[in-house]
Amino acid sequence: MHKIDRYDLKILRILSEDGRITKSALAEAINLSVTPAWERVRKLEAAGLVRGYRALIDWGALFRTQQVLVEISLARHTAQDMRRFEQRFAEAPEVAFCYATGGGVDYIAMIRARDIDHYQRFIDALLLEDLGIERYYTYIVTKTVKTAEDLPPADAYE
């Protein structure tokens, strides 16, 4: 992988905000000509720093959903137990994200469900699957204040 410079960081920031930007608009935004700018984009893609392009869909505008944050602690912390839990959560379409954490709980996840009943049926099914869940705490999302939408860290803007 080539060394990342200020032009590459600008390209990554711009692409994270507008993946559909034209070659000429990108080149103008970073103050390079089109060919060198686009060669940099291709190198960033080849290096795996640009993982893909996608549309951000407002699913909430189409379907009524309930977002639920859940903290989960496992009874045992063996590699096998954690792998089994993580694989199940990675495959579950209800799970919007799941993070392994250090501290008081093992995992924090966002569950998207049609309603609270759907969420509870999902959790009950997980408990029956013997994934080693010792306890879980549910937090109902009442309002979204801010989401990252895959934006870069603040220092990428400097």
Side-chain angles (χ1 to χ4, degrees):
M1 181 170 76
H2 74 283
K3 184 175 165 103
I4 302 300
D5 62 17
R6 65 185 176 95
Y7 290 106
D8 294 328
L9 284 175
K10 281 184 175 181
I11 289 169
L12 292 171
R13 180 185 50 79
I14 291 167
L15 289 176
S16 74
E17 293 171 356
D18 182 5
R20 295 177 61 171
I21 191 168
T22 65
K23 292 178 185 180
S24 59
L26 177 64
E28 183 179 328
I30 65 169
N31 203 25
L32 286 178
S33 61
V34 173
T35 300
W38 207 247
E39 286 174 1
R40 286 175 173 270
V41 170
R42 294 295 175 222
K43 286 180 183 177
L44 293 168
E45 290 171 344
L49 293 173
V50 177
R51 296 186 322 217
Y53 301 89
R54 63 189 175 110
L56 296 175
I57 309 300
D58 184 357
W59 293 109
L62 294 172
F63 303 100
R64 186 177 67 90
T65 61
Q66 178 65 59
Q67 294 179 328
V68 181
L69 290 170
V70 59
E71 295 177 343
I72 299 167
S73 296
L74 299 182
R76 297 175 309 275
H77 296 95
T78 67
Q80 180 181 356
D81 287 338
M82 295 173 86
R83 190 170 34 252
R84 185 173 62 240
F85 174 86
E86 290 172 10
Q87 181 176 355
R88 176 64 175 93
F89 261 55
E91 294 170 354
E94 294 90 349
V95 178
F97 66 76
C98 181
Y99 298 107
T101 60
V105 297
D106 298 318
Y107 298 94
I108 297 175
M110 167 71 77
I111 310 299
R112 291 197 176 122
R114 287 184 300 278
D115 52 32
I116 299 304
D117 182 59
H118 178 226
Y119 163 75
Q120 192 59 56
R121 284 185 280 118
F122 172 71
I123 289 294
D124 290 345
L126 292 174
L127 293 171
L128 290 173
E129 290 179 35
D130 191 29
L131 294 173
I133 297 173
E134 181 175 53
R135 65 182 175 274
Y136 68 95
Y137 299 97
T138 299
Y139 304 94
I140 306 302
V141 175
T142 59
K143 177 172 69 172
T144 300
V145 177
K146 180 178 180 178
T147 61
E149 301 290 347
D150 293 333
L151 293 179
D155 57 354
Y157 290 96
E158 295 175 358

